[in-house]
Amino acid sequence: GTMVAEFKKRKDFLVKGLREIPGVTCYDPRGAFYVFPNFNCVLGKSYNGRVIENSTVWTEVLLDEFHTAVVPGVEFGKEGYLRLSFATSMEVIQKGLERIAQAAASLK
C-alpha cells in the first residue's frame, strides 16, 4: 500500500543521508522502522569539552546541544551505534539528519 511506499522513501532518504556523514556507515534495514548507523567515528572526539566516550554520551550531546532525540545502540548490544526511527514525518527526518550531520561536523 501507500504507507509501505512512504516508509521506504523515508528509510531510503535517512540511510542515504547518514551515509553522507563522513565516517558513518549504515546498513539498509529490512522490515523494521529503525536504522542502526555506526557512529564509531565520533568516539573519542569531543563537543565543548564533553568527550564522546560511548553511544550514550553521543545521544546526550545530540539531545542537549542539537535538540535531536535518538536512542544509543548500546541498549541493543550495539555500542558505537545509534538507533533512529523513520516512523515519523519526512520533515522530522530531514531536520534530524541535518542536526546529526552538523553535530558530527562540530566535534573536535
Side-chain angles (χ1 to χ4, degrees), residues 26-93:
C26 186
Y27 288 106
D28 199 330
R30 298 271 175 260
F33 294 115
Y34 306 101
V35 296
F36 278 99
N38 180 336
F39 273 92
N40 276 295
C41 59
V42 307
L43 301 182
K45 294 184 178 181
S46 63
Y47 184 84
N48 282 351
R50 278 172 87 175
V51 179
I52 314 295
E53 294 167 21
N54 52 45
S55 61
T56 305
V57 177
W58 181 219
T59 61
E60 288 166 2
V61 168
L62 288 170
L63 186 61
D64 299 346
E65 310 286 346
F66 296 88
H67 313 293
T68 302
V70 296
V71 180
V74 70
E75 292 184 13
F76 306 91
K78 285 178 169 281
E79 181 51 88
Y81 290 69
L82 295 181
R83 187 181 87 153
L84 282 66
S85 170
F86 54 87
T88 182
S89 73
M90 196 61 155
E91 185 190 8
V92 167
I93 292 169

